[in-house]
Amino acid sequence: NDELRVCPCRGGGPRSSPSGHHHQVRSLHEPGRQPDESDQTDPASLTQDDLSNMFSDINKRLRSIDELQEISKYYFDGQGKAVRPVITVLMSRAINSHLHNDHRLLQSQQQVAKVAEMIHTASLVHDDVIDAADTRRGKPSVNFLYGQRKAVMAGDYILSVASTMLAQIRNEEVVVVLAQVLADLVQGEFMQLGSKENENERFAHYLKKTFKKTASLIAYSCKAVAILSGGDESLQEVAFQYGRNIGIAFQLVDDLLDFVASSNQLGKPSAMDLKLGLATAPVLFACEKFPELNPMIMRRFHEPGDVVKAFEYVHKSDGLQQTQYLARQHCQEAIRVISSLKPSQEQKALITITDKIIHRLK
Ligand code: GRG
């Protein structure tokens, strides 16, 4: 029932004041959807209790001088999918079950879930400044409402509070692991600025960028909670590889949705990647059938008509199917690694999530 989420302010409506915004705080769960009591492996139901206070806790930590507080809290309204905290909580509990026969979440693991959502949100705020995006999640973006300078500082502030929360976990290894995510996010964003001239290097460059920009946060959050559970290196590697594979699949589907979903579903304009000059997996695959795409990729779809032509070539090729196939392969690899844990509801939910990632519409 995606329709329930459609907000009248979608599609570049009038500027609305953030304080007077009409969105209800939505829980992590689908509105109007009755949780199925019989489904003990549903990711949303399984994580409901552990994440019910996440947004109010984060909002409490973001206390600051008036306007900075208002801007920083803007995206912590329950409208995001909270994919990273859900995966982090499920991984924590799956590993706690595996090692200690006790699926309860540790407070430190819950803190990692919050920090992951905060790092994600800070990166969204900065990303929208870099891309000059007007909308995000179907509402006006922070930079659109408050301007670039305040948006940059709000992103920095969210990150600084997240750093304090990370330090308060009091585990040096976890700090090192999650600090790597920050370096990866910046490097991933940086890699996106350049295109490779050599066609053979393009796909490898794209996958490396995809790991850093999207998968790193999920992979290292999974590793961090494995460390906190007392897992050895091989168990930490299971958690990391699950997160890495699911993260790459998630971004591949994101890149696919940019070509097939409506702007209403996405909460931002579609074909945005082409408009930003980015050649993602569907285009790189399409290039095999239509080499005419090569010069367009090199000039970052800058000439008039490039975006429309490239969009058509992608749809005429099997680039979208190939992208989906690659996402499925990464999901299968995620399932393979997580199957080495002792069976638990949470382990099964981590398998269910791969299906949701492949079939998601937003
Ligand atoms: C400030 C830490 C920091 C980094 C700066 C701008 C930047 C460097 C990195 C950008 C990273 C970025 C925006 C990656 C995109 C990842 C992605 C797939 C976002 C969409 O995630 P969803 O669909 O979003 O989970 P929701 O809205 O559901 O939360």
Side-chain angles (χ1 to χ4, degrees):
N1 53 22
D2 223 35
E3 281 310 301
L4 284 173
R5 291 202 208 105
V6 175
C7 154
C9 72
R10 272 199 182 158
R15 276 173 192 243
S16 50
S17 91
S19 48
H21 205 264
H22 54 270
H23 277 297
Q24 295 288 315
V25 173
R26 185 169 67 86
S27 78
L28 295 169
H29 307 274
E30 307 287 316
R33 183 174 172 273
Q34 294 300 316
D36 181 358
E37 295 295 327
S38 64
D39 186 1
Q40 306 272 307
T41 63
D42 176 54
S45 321
L46 267 178
T47 53
Q48 189 159 29
D49 290 346
D50 291 324
L51 295 175
S52 60
N53 294 325
M54 180 175 72
F55 292 115
S56 61
D57 288 353
I58 292 174
N59 284 330
K60 271 186 219 151
R61 297 296 301 244
L62 290 172
R63 289 239 163 90
S64 176
I65 37 176
D66 287 348
E67 200 186 16
L68 182 57
Q69 172 170 326
E70 174 183 303
I71 307 175
S72 307
K73 286 167 68 174
Y74 182 69
Y75 287 128
F76 297 106
D77 59 356
Q79 295 295 306
K81 297 184 292 295
V83 170
R84 293 149 193 85
V86 166
I87 292 174
T88 304
V89 167
L90 290 174
M91 180 61 76
S92 305
R93 294 179 42 180
I95 290 189
N96 296 349
S97 285
H98 176 82
L99 285 178
H100 316 293
N101 271 326
D102 183 347
H103 72 174
R104 281 175 304 173
L105 185 70
L106 302 173
Q107 222 196 334
S108 57
Q109 293 171 325
Q110 191 169 37
Q111 188 88 330
V112 172
K114 285 180 208 164
V115 168
E117 187 66 3
M118 293 172 81
I119 293 174
H120 166 61
T121 306
S123 79
L124 296 182
V125 174
H126 282 185
D127 198 47
D128 287 344
V129 172
I130 294 167
D131 297 346
D134 290 346
T135 54
R136 160 79 60 189
R137 297 180 181 161
K139 64 181 197 175
S141 61
V142 164
N143 46 302
F144 179 82
L145 286 175
Y146 301 94
Q148 299 199 27
R149 287 180 300 176
K150 287 177 180 172
V152 169
M153 285 183 278
D156 288 345
Y157 184 63
I158 295 167
L159 209 53
S160 72
V161 174
S163 308
T164 303
M165 290 166 67
L166 175 58
Q168 284 169 340
I169 295 174
R170 304 253 180 272
N171 183 310
E172 197 184 310
E173 233 184 311
V174 168
V175 174
V176 172
V177 161
L178 288 179
Q180 180 62 43
V181 174
L182 303 180
D184 282 347
L185 281 168
V186 178
Q187 292 179 73
E189 191 69 17
F190 213 88
M191 285 177 80
Q192 197 166 282
L193 295 175
S195 352
K196 280 266 168 252
E197 293 212 19
N198 184 337
E199 286 165 46
N200 301 322
E201 286 173 23
R202 259 191 221 136
F203 213 86
H205 183 265
Y206 165 80
L207 284 178
K208 190 170 173 191
K209 181 223 73 187
T210 299
F211 170 76
K212 287 177 178 287
K213 206 187 127 172
T214 308
S216 171
L217 175 56
I218 306 177
Y220 284 116
S221 301
C222 287
K223 180 170 176 170
V225 296
I227 293 170
L228 290 166
S229 188
D232 63 9
E233 270 182 27
S234 78
L235 197 58
Q236 291 171 25
E237 183 65 11
V238 164
F240 178 83
Q241 288 301 338
Y242 173 88
R244 186 181 77 85
N245 280 287
I246 206 127
I248 292 174
F250 188 85
Q251 186 60 54
L252 286 165
V253 173
D254 219 63
D255 294 345
L256 181 105
L257 285 174
D258 198 46
F259 283 92
V260 298
S262 69
S263 52
N264 241 5
Q265 278 169 318
L266 295 174
K268 60 180 182 185
S270 55
M272 207 50 215
D273 292 335
L274 289 177
K275 292 174 200 160
L276 288 169
L278 305 179
T280 56
V283 183
L284 298 178
F285 281 127
C287 211
E288 287 164 20
K289 184 164 176 187
F290 298 109
E292 302 92 309
L293 280 164
N294 274 316
M296 290 190 217
I297 294 174
M298 285 321 296
R299 59 179 185 253
R300 297 179 79 90
F301 314 105
H302 247 49
E303 275 183 20
D306 277 1
V307 168
V308 171
K309 260 185 268 164
F311 192 83
E312 283 170 6
Y313 280 135
V314 166
H315 279 274
K316 272 192 240 163
S317 73
D318 58 0
L320 296 168
Q321 289 91 316
Q322 277 186 274
T323 304
Q324 197 185 44
Y325 180 76
L326 187 59
R328 279 181 195 278
Q329 280 185 318
H330 281 283
C331 283
Q332 271 163 17
E333 180 58 15
I335 293 172
R336 192 186 69 78
V337 291
I338 207 65
S339 300
S340 64
L341 299 188
K342 265 191 226 157
S344 65
Q345 287 174 1
E346 289 79 9
Q347 182 217 34
K348 292 202 180 74
L350 287 169
I351 293 172
T352 308
I353 281 204
T354 61
D355 227 46
K356 292 194 184 286
I357 282 175
I358 294 293
H359 294 114
R360 76 194 175 98
L361 297 171
K362 70 168 227 177

